[in-house]
Amino acid sequence: YSDEIMTGLLIPSRLEKRLYKIFLSRTHIENPYSADKQKANKKVSNFLNSERFKKALNRMDKSLESRPDLSLSQLKDAIQEIEFKRLLTLLAHDHLWTSEAGIPPLTTIKTIFKTPVKGSGIDLLLRMMKGKEKKILWLTDESGGVVVDLAIAQFLADLGHIVILAVKEKPFFKKVCLADTRTDPVLMNAFENAHFIHDRTISKNNLVKLLKHDKHLYVVSDGTSESTNLLLMSTTFSRIFKEVDCVISRGPTQKRRLIDTH
């Protein structure tokens, strides 16, 4: 699979799914990439919890020099926007969890924070972040990056937004799945205070009631064990997709990732 991705020769997704299922049934290995995924998550977790990263994240430098006349309220919003964008830039640097190098030096982290955040949805995303409470569905991708997803989701939850993180029902290569949330120490700790939605056929009324609880961080399975396919999603995921104010997905574009909102 990795060789095909590197060479750019892709097999049809339906065949890919069949081959993957054959491998699982023959080997009886439920989660073949489990060790690799846990290693990547641990690496990012160590980075985000390091004093070096925290120091870089909290440095203002010249970020507000061009906006000297801000009120206290505007200054608070500007600081939140800076932190939010800095967290987003981490998604464009997957070497943070794919390489064997240690925690990068302070200057490198500051350079990472200067990565421009592009995509058709970034302006909408910033307006939504500063506005009233919104319901947000965040489609997680692969392990490693999911720890950054969680940091951003927690940031939005602390602002009062409701964030629902979607994972795979069953293991699918390095995608984050429900099994990972129960076996990976990093994810178990990160999801400790999250509410898991296990009902695959939840009604609209029950979903609305559920999202009115005091919880701001939720986890739901998309009901599949393959690449995103809206035709095969569970009833619960489909209802959430319709009820939320914003759906966030991201995907690779060569060496950078775009943030798109729909």
Side-chain angles (χ1 to χ4, degrees):
Y1 177 77
S2 298
D3 288 342
E4 293 291 339
I5 295 298
M6 291 297 293
T7 58
L9 302 175
L10 301 180
I11 60 178
S13 59
R14 185 175 298 178
L15 176 59
E16 176 188 53
K17 182 170 63 174
R18 288 184 62 187
L19 292 173
Y20 188 71
K21 287 183 177 180
I22 290 172
F23 174 81
L24 296 183
S25 64
R26 292 292 183 179
T27 63
H28 301 291
I29 302 175
E30 294 183 4
N31 197 351
Y33 282 95
S34 179
D36 291 336
K37 292 193 285 186
Q38 290 189 24
K39 180 180 178 181
N41 289 338
K42 180 66 174 177
K43 185 175 177 60
V44 183
S45 178
N46 290 340
F47 170 69
L48 294 180
N49 289 309
S50 68
E51 290 301 321
R52 197 176 300 169
F53 169 77
K54 293 176 182 177
K55 184 177 180 179
L57 182 65
N58 290 314
R59 291 189 68 164
M60 292 302 299
D61 294 328
K62 300 180 181 180
S63 302
L64 295 174
E65 281 189 357
S66 61
R67 307 163 71 181
D69 300 323
L70 297 178
S71 65
L72 287 177
S73 177
Q74 292 171 329
L75 181 62
K76 180 180 178 182
D77 288 343
I79 292 173
Q80 289 176 344
E81 180 179 329
I82 291 171
E83 182 176 356
F84 185 57
K85 281 186 173 181
R86 287 179 176 179
L87 291 174
L88 287 176
T89 61
L90 299 178
L91 295 172
H93 296 269
D94 56 6
H95 60 84
L96 293 173
W97 54 88
T98 58
S99 73
E100 295 297 328
I103 297 173
L106 186 64
T107 53
T108 301
I109 300 175
K110 291 170 65 176
T111 301
I112 289 174
F113 287 156
K114 294 179 182 178
T115 304
V117 182
K118 301 179 181 180
S120 58
I122 184 60
D123 292 334
L124 174 63
L125 189 58
L126 290 174
R127 290 198 301 272
M128 179 206 65
M129 180 200 75
K130 300 174 184 177
K132 295 181 180 179
E133 176 186 298
K134 299 291 185 181
K135 298 182 184 69
I136 304 166
L137 175 61
W138 189 295
L139 308 183
T140 62
D141 193 31
E142 295 190 347
S143 295
V146 69
V147 181
V148 181
D149 288 341
L150 280 165
I152 300 172
Q154 188 61 61
F155 177 86
L156 292 171
D158 291 341
L159 294 179
H161 300 292
I162 296 175
V163 185
I164 307 164
L165 292 139
V167 300
K168 296 298 173 187
E169 176 73 19
K170 296 180 181 179
F172 183 66
F173 296 106
K174 295 185 179 180
K175 304 287 186 184
V176 185
C177 64
L178 279 177
D180 296 325
T181 67
R182 296 190 290 263
T183 59
D184 188 322
V186 171
L187 297 186
M188 289 171 63
N189 181 63
F191 286 128
E192 184 178 8
N193 296 317
H195 182 88
F196 282 76
I197 304 175
H198 293 294
D199 189 348
R200 291 173 53 87
T201 57
I202 195 170
S203 68
K204 180 178 179 180
N205 290 337
N206 287 339
L207 176 62
V208 172
K209 291 179 182 178
L210 180 65
L211 297 181
K212 285 184 178 179
H213 290 177
D214 293 334
K215 296 285 186 180
H216 285 270
L217 199 61
Y218 293 80
V219 182
V220 67
S221 160
D222 67 7
T224 72
S225 56
E226 59 185 86
S227 297
T228 302
N229 187 338
L230 295 179
L231 296 175
L232 299 178
M233 301 299 184
S234 67
T235 301
T236 297
F237 180 89
S238 299
R239 292 195 187 281
I240 291 174
F241 195 92
K242 292 173 62 177
E243 290 295 323
V244 295
D245 303 295
C246 176
V247 178
I248 299 178
S249 64
R250 58 183 181 82
T253 56
Q254 295 180 350
K255 295 183 179 179
R256 292 288 180 260
R257 291 179 183 269
L258 298 181
I259 299 295
D260 291 308
T261 57
H262 308 283

